[in-house]
């Protein structure tokens, strides 16, 4: 009997180990694929030029093709930063409301709604950007059209909100009850307890939530493709059309002839994107772990 | 055990890819140009009505995407609003694909602006300079003092390339807004009084709130209207172009039958009801050669009234 159990135990152990390993293998595989397909691009393009030139026109026929991703890099960072500026305060406020203010009934209705928001397809959000957000922006700022970086930021903020809200709420709920009780016992009001005790105590969790929201915003493709106007020029303000790195890959990878410099350069953009999201996710992970060490 | 699994996987993979690539014998995949998609979809619908059990799937993605799919053997017919590039021919040859061109319709590429724009006509040179970013304000071409907003297509579009090579003779301004399709351009221009865009004539005709400009070859010359059938058929409208379909090798079976339907009087009448123009004689002769037909099979194009009579009230 013990032999049989032993075997079963080992089998299950092996299965879980394999599953864990699989995730790492897939990640390593993606990275290897990106590197292998991106490297040939740098036989013809200098790395400095690729990263620091703003001229991108690989299909040029009247001039020499150019492969500079700076304007896309700036566009991506602009749109994501804008999204964070909008989404983080809203997200924290909503999370604080859900965890501390809302009655149990409101929470039971509101939480699933937040989760449904996370499931709205990006193409629908992009469509809203074209028919609703764009015209409103155009009217407010007296522009001829609303397809610009601000439009993208607003839409990405909507998409990042569910992540930020639910993770921040978890962080707030994770603050030990004794903190709150001590604060209230010392005579602090509910508001003071929330703002000066709970939120600072949960801050690392909230930062991690925001970083994950940013990771989502950086990688989002369809929405920005539809709503930001997709002009490759270097953006000078949030009211100009921009083209993000993801949009460039989505637009051009479908028709690019395989194994050409253009093809490899698109993988190069993918590699840069991968590295950025990897760094963002890693920072959020480090922050999250520090938080767990302090309060356990 | 392991070997069995491998063999099983390979077989099932083979079966899957087989059914995806060819979609069975009663199915034809058509892919490519956004300009052609509505016309070909309409043609496919009518063809399927006449031939039950046959399925013709028409999808977009842009001319470049269509030709890439033909080369990768993911579709039987590639719609393309431009001609195949030499680099694509090279690739096709490498993969053993013999891309043959058919011409299915004529387009008068229409330059459209917001209906409120006082400008009614431009020369080809002015259009080129506007898209190259050399003319930046409507006042330079007789309009309001308003900065021009450029709307164009993405680089996978055949129309994007056609403009570059036949109208602009240069590279696009980096301020060009790359839109996803003809419909998105006309939708944007409906709202944007400062915009200029280009769409297939079929889209220009049905769009509301925008107008198509008259175009002259050069200043001092006469301006022609893309909606005027005589000006287009005679080639007086300067940005006239054939809309193509590419196939792999001599068409056979269902593909051939569908192509012949598209080129028949009935098919060409549908092309005209969708706002484009039927192909002139020179292209009929060319198509007949590709299809291996001797002599002229099609009579003169059917008029839209005859088509309606043919289809009944519906």
């Amino acid at each position: 009997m013990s032999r049989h159990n032993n075997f079963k135990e080992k089998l299950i152990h092996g299965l879980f180990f394999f599953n864990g390993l699989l995730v790492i293998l897939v990640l390593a595989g993606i990275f290897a694929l990106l590197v292998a397909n991106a490297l040939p691009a740098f036989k013809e393009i200098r790395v400095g030029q690729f990263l620091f030139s703003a001229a991108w026109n690989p299909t040029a026929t009247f001039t020499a093709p150019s492969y500079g991703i700076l304007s896309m890099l700036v566009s991506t960072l602009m749109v994501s930063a804008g999204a964070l500026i909008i989404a983080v305060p809203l997200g924290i406020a909503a999370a604080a409301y859900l965890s501390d203010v809302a009655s149990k009934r409101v929470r039971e209705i509101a939480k699933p709604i937040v989760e449904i928001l996370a499931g709205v397809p990006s193409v629908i959000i992009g469509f809203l950007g074209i028919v609703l957000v764009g015209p409103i922006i155009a009217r407010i700022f007296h522009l001829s059209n609303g397809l610009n970086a601000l439009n993208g930021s607003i839409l990405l903020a909507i998409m990042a909100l569910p992540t930020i809200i639910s993770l921040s709420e978890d962080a707030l709920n994770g603050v030990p009850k004794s903190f709150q009780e001590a604060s209230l016992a010392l005579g602090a009001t509910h508001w003071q307890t929330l703002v000066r005790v709970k939120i600072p105590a949960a801050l690392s969790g909230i930062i991690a939530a925001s970083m994950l929201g940013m990771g989502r915003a950086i990688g989002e493709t369809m929405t920005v493709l539809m709503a930001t106007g997709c002009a490759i020029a270097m953006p000078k303000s949030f009211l100009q059309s921009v083209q993000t790195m993801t949009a460039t890959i989505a637009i051009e990878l479908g028709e690019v002839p395989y194994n050409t410099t253009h093809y490899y350069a698109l993988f190069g953009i993918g590699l840069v994107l991968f590295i950025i999201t990897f760094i963002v996710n890693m920072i959020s992970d480090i922050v999250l772990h520090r938080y767990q060490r302090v309060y356990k | 055990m392991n070997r069995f699994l491998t063999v099983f996987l390979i077989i099932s993979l083979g079966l899957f890819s087989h059914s995806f690539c060819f979609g069975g014998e009663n199915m034809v995949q058509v892919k490519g140009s956004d300009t052609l998609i509505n016309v070909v979809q309409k043609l496919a619908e009518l063809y399927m009505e006449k031939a039950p059990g046959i399925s013709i799937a028409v999808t977009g993605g842009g001319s470049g995407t269509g030709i890439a799919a033909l080369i990768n053997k993911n579709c039987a017919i590639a719609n393309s609003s431009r001609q195949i590039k030499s680099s694509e021919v090279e690739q096709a040859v490498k993969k053993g694909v013999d891309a043959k061109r058919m011409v299915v319709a004529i387009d008068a590429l229409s330059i459209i602006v917001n209906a409120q724009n006082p400008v009614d006509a431009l020369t080809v040179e002015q259009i080129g300079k506007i898209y190259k970013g050399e003319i930046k304000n409507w006042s330079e071409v007789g309009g309001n003092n308003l900065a021009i907003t450029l709307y164009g297509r993405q680089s996978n579009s055949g129309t994007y390339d056609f403009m570059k090579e036949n109208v602009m003779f240069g590279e696009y301004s980096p301020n060009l807004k790359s839109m996803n399709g003809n419909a998105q351009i006309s939708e944007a221009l409906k709202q944007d009084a400062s915009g200029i865009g280009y769409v297939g004539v079929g889209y220009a005709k049905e769009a509301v709130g925008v107008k198509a400009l008259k175009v002259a070859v050069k200043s001092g010359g006469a301006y022609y209207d893309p909606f005027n059938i005589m000006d287009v058929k005679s080639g007086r409208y300067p940005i006239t172009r054939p809309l193509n379909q590419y196939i792999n090798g001599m068409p056979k079976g269902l593909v051939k039958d569908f192509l012949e339907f598209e080129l028949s009087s009935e098919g060409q009448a549908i092309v005209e009801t969708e706002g484009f123009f039927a192909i002139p004689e020179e292209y009929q002769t060319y198509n007949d050669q590709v299809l291996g037909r001797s002599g002229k099979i099609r009579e003169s194009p059917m008029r839209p009234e005859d088509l309606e009579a043919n289809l009944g009230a519906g």
Side-chain angles (χ1 to χ4, degrees):
Chain A
M1 175 200 133
S2 81
R3 230 185 116 184
H4 177 71
N5 259 359
N6 219 353
F7 176 70
K8 209 168 142 191
E9 194 82 357
K10 267 192 181 154
L11 193 75
I12 291 170
H13 190 267
L15 194 71
F16 280 100
F17 178 71
F18 175 74
N19 279 334
L21 201 67
L22 193 67
V23 178
I24 297 172
L25 281 180
V26 167
L27 187 70
I30 290 173
F31 188 70
L33 187 89
L34 276 176
V35 171
N37 277 301
L39 278 185
F42 299 106
K43 277 185 205 148
E44 283 185 45
I45 316 165
R46 281 185 295 115
V47 179
Q49 204 171 17
F50 185 71
L51 289 175
F52 301 114
S53 149
W56 174 266
N57 192 355
T59 53
T61 40
F62 294 92
T63 57
S66 49
Y67 302 91
I69 67 165
L70 187 65
S71 69
M72 295 173 225
L73 196 67
V74 172
S75 302
T76 295
L77 295 177
M78 246 171 91
V79 173
S80 329
L84 274 194
I85 290 169
I86 300 167
V88 168
L90 281 177
I92 295 175
Y97 172 75
L98 282 179
S99 77
D100 278 72
V101 185
S103 67
K104 199 172 167 232
R105 232 177 114 192
V106 172
R107 196 177 317 154
E108 268 168 12
I109 298 167
K111 256 221 121 165
I113 291 177
V114 170
E115 272 144 29
I116 289 170
L117 187 62
V120 177
S122 51
V123 68
I124 306 280
I125 307 248
F127 183 71
L128 279 181
I130 293 176
V131 299
L132 185 73
V133 183
I136 292 174
I137 292 175
R139 200 164 314 143
I140 292 175
F141 294 98
H142 303 289
L143 302 171
S144 59
N145 63 80
L147 298 173
N148 51 33
L150 179 63
N151 193 341
S153 290
I154 293 173
L155 299 177
L156 286 186
I158 295 171
M159 299 185 74
L161 266 178
T163 311
I164 297 178
I165 294 176
S166 37
L167 290 178
S168 299
E169 201 214 342
D170 288 347
L172 284 170
N173 284 335
V175 175
K177 197 127 189 126
S178 54
F179 280 43
Q180 191 175 351
E181 284 161 356
S183 170
L184 291 173
L186 286 169
T189 62
H190 213 83
W191 167 252
Q192 284 169 330
T193 305
L194 177 63
V195 175
R196 300 206 190 146
V197 177
K198 281 195 85 173
I199 290 181
L203 197 61
S204 41
I206 291 171
I207 291 172
S210 308
M211 296 297 271
L212 282 177
M214 184 173 178
R216 171 109 163 88
I218 290 174
E220 175 47 45
T221 308
M222 198 60 208
T223 307
V224 288
L225 178 70
M226 291 168 79
T228 58
C230 288
I232 203 70
M234 189 74 179
K236 292 187 189 75
S237 85
F238 269 93
L239 298 177
Q240 267 185 334
S241 288
V242 297
Q243 180 166 322
T244 62
M245 295 196 280
T246 48
T248 307
I249 297 175
I251 291 171
E252 294 177 13
L253 198 59
E255 52 103 26
V256 64
Y258 282 14
N259 306 329
T260 56
T261 307
H262 184 189
Y263 176 82
Y264 297 131
L266 290 177
F267 275 92
I269 300 176
L271 185 64
V272 173
L273 203 58
F274 182 86
I275 292 170
I276 293 175
T277 39
F278 188 77
I279 291 172
V280 168
N281 281 326
M282 209 153 80
I283 292 174
S284 70
D285 211 48
I286 291 169
V287 173
L288 201 65
H289 272 102
R290 176 163 303 164
Y291 150 77
Q292 280 173 338
R293 258 212 312 275
V294 171
Y295 296 115
K296 270 199 176 155
Chain B
M1 172 73 190
N2 229 340
R3 189 173 296 165
F4 170 74
L5 203 73
T6 320
V7 170
F8 173 75
L9 275 178
I10 288 171
I11 289 173
S12 56
L13 215 71
L15 285 177
F16 258 106
S17 57
H18 186 271
S19 56
F20 273 129
C21 281
F22 303 102
E25 282 183 3
N26 293 330
M27 183 154 170
V28 177
Q29 286 275 2
V30 187
K31 207 177 171 73
S33 170
D34 180 72
T35 309
L36 267 169
I37 188 167
N38 285 354
V39 181
V40 178
Q41 218 149 34
K42 190 89 191 170
L43 285 163
E45 273 168 29
L46 285 167
Y47 182 80
M48 287 187 282
E49 245 169 58
K50 294 180 164 210
I54 303 286
S55 154
I56 295 177
V58 187
T59 53
S63 304
T65 314
I67 290 178
L70 185 79
I71 294 171
N72 294 326
K73 295 178 186 163
N74 286 329
C75 69
I77 301 175
N79 291 336
S80 179
S81 63
R82 61 166 167 83
Q83 291 196 38
I84 193 165
K85 294 175 188 168
S86 57
S87 60
E88 288 165 334
V89 173
E90 270 170 39
Q91 255 193 300
V93 169
K94 256 187 229 162
K95 296 217 169 181
V97 171
D98 171 27
K100 283 198 185 299
R101 174 186 177 217
M102 306 272 305
V103 178
V104 289
I106 301 295
D107 179 24
L109 186 63
S110 306
I111 308 299
I112 57 171
V113 296
N114 187 281
Q116 307 293 318
N117 195 323
V119 175
D120 283 315
L122 289 174
T123 66
V124 170
E125 194 191 2
Q126 283 172 325
I127 297 166
K129 281 188 172 167
I130 288 173
Y131 272 101
K132 281 184 280 190
E134 290 163 18
I135 295 178
K136 291 185 161 72
N137 196 297
W138 281 112
S139 63
E140 292 171 63
V141 290
N144 300 328
N145 180 21
L146 193 63
I148 301 175
T149 310
L150 301 173
Y151 291 91
R153 298 281 307 282
Q154 297 164 352
S155 61
N156 58 354
S157 149
T159 314
Y160 173 96
D161 284 330
F162 181 85
M163 277 291 288
K164 210 163 88 167
E165 259 131 54
N166 300 283
V167 177
M168 295 160 56
F169 305 105
E171 295 298 328
Y172 282 99
S173 153
N175 290 314
L176 177 83
K177 291 188 201 294
S178 325
M179 311 303 272
N180 218 349
N182 288 284
Q184 212 188 345
I185 292 184
S186 46
E187 195 56 35
L189 283 169
K190 199 168 87 183
Q191 294 170 11
D192 190 343
S194 72
I196 185 169
Y198 50 79
V199 295
V201 64
Y203 290 87
K205 280 182 188 167
E206 68 182 23
V208 187
V210 304
K211 64 176 177 185
L213 299 180
K214 291 194 173 71
V215 181
V217 177
K218 48 178 175 261
S219 62
Y223 289 89
Y224 293 102
D225 182 352
F227 294 177
N228 184 316
I229 191 161
M230 294 313 293
D231 290 344
V232 173
K233 290 219 160 158
S234 61
R236 285 193 292 259
Y237 180 73
I239 337 176
T240 302
R241 58 176 182 164
L243 298 176
N244 315 293
Q245 287 188 326
Y246 284 89
I247 40 179
N248 180 9
M250 276 286 279
K252 288 189 293 274
L254 192 51
V255 172
K256 183 175 184 190
D257 201 46
F258 179 60
L259 287 174
E260 282 179 350
F261 170 71
E262 290 182 308
L263 302 172
S264 70
S265 321
E266 194 186 344
Q268 288 296 301
I270 291 165
V271 165
E272 299 223 330
T273 52
E274 289 294 303
F276 292 89
F277 300 99
I279 51 172
E281 195 149 335
E282 68 209 78
Y283 285 122
Q284 283 178 48
T285 325
Y286 168 81
N287 287 337
D288 285 340
Q289 280 168 4
V290 176
L291 284 168
R293 302 195 291 196
S294 56
K296 218 171 70 187
I297 290 174
R298 183 158 71 83
E299 337 73 77
S300 58
M302 205 184 265
R303 290 169 304 160
E305 303 91 83
D306 298 335
L307 177 79
E308 269 165 38
N310 242 15
L311 292 173

